[in-house]
Amino acid sequence: MPQSTPAFKIHGFSEVVISVRSLDEYEATFHDIGGWHTRSKNPVLPQQLRAWGLPETLTAEEMLMAHPDSDTGFVRFVCFEGLAQTEIRANDQPWDSGGIFDINIRVENMAQVRDKMVDAQWQANTDPVLHHFGPFSVTEWVPRYSDGTRLALIERLAPPLEGWPNLKHFSRVFNSTFIVRDIQRSVHFFRDVLNMQEYIHTPSTELTAGPNVFGLPHNLSDTISHEIYILHPEKLNEGSVELIQLNGVTGRDLSANAHLPNLGVAMLRFPVENVEYLYQHLLDHQIPIVSKLQTLEVSPYGTTKRFIVSAPEGGWLEFFEN
């Protein structure tokens, strides 16, 4: 654990960056089903492409969408033109590790939302599943779109959900999940290096036989155990990171594909106080830097100082200060 108070302060992530084949299809889903609004739709600036390690000559458009009553939990969809791309988690199973697995969104009426999502060509390994997670009882459904983007739609059943008076259809994004092979390695990075706190830790426990959100065979699921950490700089479930390790089932390692411009959930953006201290802190801990500290104009934040690193098992994390 950290031995002293760091000179930087990270907040929960404020947005997710997703690489997609069609902005229009996602705009329809998040607007018509989710009740979100489009905040902006613009060409990606050459400086941004360069910061992502891509040629400035590429043509790309980005669209920022948000819950109409929220000032965080945004999604930035990016569509590249004329570029060969693969999916970050191509043809994946939930037990394949590497990259960002999903983004979490609350819903009020799971059955209604599920039917609308299926009509919009979203599919999942399972139907919505009732399960118990720490102190919570929820119904969860994890649909995936054809280009690899996966959502975790969650309806809280107990205890009653508080502090979400304007939930509407989709809430803001509040959490994001990584499926990992070495959970202690990832916990060390997020907790001990980035100074995040444990919101929830569920020690390794066996799943129950029957339906489960991972799509495991019902007669084998009780032979599989899983360990879960949810971490956040201020011990909140608001822009938090969830780490899951499944024991007893082994899949592929997809971490090598976990970068832009590949398709799917590519990056989480975290606002930071004293970003220069954080940058040096990560250099001191020999964390590989994907994109060096630089000044960049990013809407809606304005002029930012920002840099990108990769999580231990893939998935970009951008830290920025404006």
Side-chain angles (χ1 to χ4, degrees):
M1 298 294 289
Q3 299 301 309
S4 60
T5 302
F8 59 86
K9 182 175 183 180
I10 303 171
H11 298 279
F13 68 79
S14 60
E15 72 167 67
V16 181
V17 177
I18 303 179
S19 175
V20 301
R21 287 195 176 95
S22 168
L23 296 183
D24 292 343
E25 292 173 5
Y26 280 91
E27 188 170 34
T29 294
F30 276 73
H31 180 272
D32 298 346
I33 301 175
W36 281 29
H37 291 177
T38 301
R39 293 279 184 96
S40 62
K41 188 184 288 188
N42 299 298
V44 178
L45 297 175
Q47 301 95 308
Q48 179 65 87
L49 293 168
R50 185 173 64 248
W52 288 338
L54 303 174
E56 296 183 22
T57 54
L58 283 180
T59 299
E61 188 175 14
E62 64 178 21
M63 174 178 68
L64 187 68
M65 296 195 71
H67 185 285
D69 299 322
S70 295
D71 58 2
T72 191
F74 308 149
V75 176
R76 188 180 306 267
F77 300 98
V78 183
C79 183
F80 299 92
E81 296 183 15
L83 182 66
Q85 296 167 278
T86 187
E87 294 175 23
I88 292 172
R89 293 182 54 90
N91 305 306
D92 71 328
Q93 299 290 344
W95 50 88
D96 292 328
S97 62
I100 300 171
F101 179 67
D102 66 29
I103 59 173
N104 294 188
I105 293 172
R106 299 190 187 280
V107 299
E108 279 190 322
N109 187 325
M110 179 66 78
Q112 184 180 84
V113 169
R114 183 259 182 203
D115 289 348
K116 290 180 178 179
M117 294 288 283
V118 169
D119 288 344
Q121 306 303 310
W122 289 75
Q123 298 183 342
N125 289 16
T126 70
D127 287 327
V129 175
L130 169 65
H131 68 105
H132 305 287
F133 174 64
F136 308 115
S137 295
V138 302
T139 299
E140 184 170 358
W141 188 53
V142 188
R144 183 185 189 277
Y145 201 55
S146 59
D147 58 6
T149 297
R150 185 181 270 106
L151 311 179
L153 303 180
I154 299 171
E155 181 177 14
R156 170 80 71 81
L157 303 178
L161 186 63
E162 298 179 354
W164 298 74
N166 301 312
L167 182 57
K168 293 187 169 66
H169 306 294
F170 282 6
S171 76
R172 60 186 177 268
V173 179
F174 70 95
N175 185 64
S176 183
T177 304
F178 296 70
I179 305 294
V180 298
R181 294 190 176 201
D182 184 348
I183 197 166
Q184 289 307 317
R185 179 185 175 205
S186 290
V187 168
H188 170 72
F189 172 72
F190 284 101
R191 184 188 63 193
D192 303 337
V193 177
L194 294 181
N195 203 43
M196 294 189 181
Q197 302 180 63
E198 295 176 16
Y199 174 74
I200 284 178
H201 174 213
T202 301
S204 186
T205 53
E206 289 185 349
L207 297 166
T208 57
N212 57 90
V213 295
F214 302 108
L216 294 162
H218 295 185
N219 64 322
L220 299 178
S221 58
D222 61 349
T223 68
I224 307 301
S225 66
H226 68 310
E227 185 169 10
I228 300 174
Y229 281 86
I230 296 181
L231 300 114
H232 183 279
E234 297 154 295
K235 204 174 182 178
L236 303 172
N237 196 198
E238 183 66 72
S240 50
V241 170
E242 182 173 0
L243 308 172
I244 300 178
Q245 179 172 301
L246 293 169
N247 301 309
V249 58
T250 302
R252 296 175 297 155
D253 177 4
L254 304 174
S255 57
N257 292 332
H259 57 82
L260 289 171
N262 288 340
L263 294 160
V265 184
M267 186 170 75
L268 307 178
R269 273 187 162 138
F270 294 83
V272 178
E273 297 173 33
N274 294 330
V275 69
E276 293 177 349
Y277 285 96
L278 174 60
Y279 185 71
Q280 186 59 51
H281 173 75
L282 296 183
L283 289 175
D284 292 344
H285 281 77
Q286 300 181 333
I287 303 300
I289 304 297
V290 172
S291 178
K292 293 182 179 180
L293 182 67
Q294 59 191 281
T295 300
L296 192 68
E297 193 75 18
V298 180
S299 176
Y301 311 110
T303 302
T304 67
K305 290 183 178 179
R306 39 73 65 206
F307 68 95
I308 299 173
V309 301
S310 178
E313 297 194 29
W316 283 3
L317 312 174
E318 180 177 285
F319 300 100
F320 71 93
E321 182 174 27
N322 59 338

